[in-house]
Amino acid sequence: LEELRRKPFPPAEVVDAVEALRSNGYLNQARDLTLVIKAYASKCLWEQSLSMLAEAESLSIETNVIVCNSAISACEKAGEWEHALQILLDMRGCTQQADTISFNSAIGAVQRGGRWELAVSLLQET
């Protein structure tokens, strides 16, 4: 999994590799999800990152702040500030608590989206 992020695989190969791992039952821990989401993020595959985060529930995998932060980071890299903020808001309603990394990534996402007023608002919350 770590190699999917580090090596220069084309995005389509990363998606295929993750699908093969998933179909063979290898993606069943929060650590696995984190590595997959980071691999997707490194290839600008933010939609797949969000899909993997959503799939965690159906796989009965309890997400943690690291998994959520990885998904927020994927959205940040793609400039998908709305999705980054939604994950941050979802974290407030769950057991995992947003941390400095959560807020920094969300702030970066809204800055990329040109929403400086939201960035200031998030800074005031940290």
Side-chain angles (χ1 to χ4, degrees):
L1 286 173
E2 192 67 35
E3 286 186 27
L4 291 176
R5 183 170 61 104
R6 291 187 180 159
K7 295 203 176 181
F9 293 110
E13 285 186 29
V14 172
V15 172
D16 290 344
V18 169
E19 186 54 42
L21 289 168
R22 180 188 296 139
S23 65
N24 287 309
Y26 288 108
L27 302 179
N28 54 13
Q29 297 178 10
R31 182 180 185 283
D32 300 334
L33 288 179
T34 301
L35 291 172
V36 168
I37 291 171
K38 284 181 178 182
Y40 281 153
S42 72
K43 306 299 179 190
C44 297
L45 298 170
W46 67 272
E47 291 170 313
Q48 287 84 349
S49 294
L50 294 181
S51 176
M52 185 60 63
L53 182 62
E55 192 173 314
E57 186 176 308
S58 67
L59 295 172
S60 299
I61 299 172
E62 186 174 327
T63 59
N64 58 34
V65 70
I66 298 168
V67 173
C68 293
N69 286 349
S70 297
I72 293 172
S73 179
C75 293
E76 174 192 12
K77 290 175 183 172
E80 293 292 327
W81 63 270
E82 297 98 336
H83 296 291
L85 285 180
Q86 187 59 55
I87 297 167
L88 188 66
L89 290 173
D90 290 347
M91 289 174 75
R92 291 181 179 166
C94 298
T95 56
Q96 63 264 23
Q97 293 292 317
D99 61 9
T100 302
I101 295 169
S102 311
F103 279 96
N104 284 344
S105 294
I107 289 167
V110 297
Q111 284 178 320
R112 283 184 184 215
R115 301 299 304 261
W116 61 268
E117 68 281 358
L118 289 173
V120 170
S121 175
L122 288 172
L123 278 171
Q124 291 172 344
E125 290 186 39
T126 57

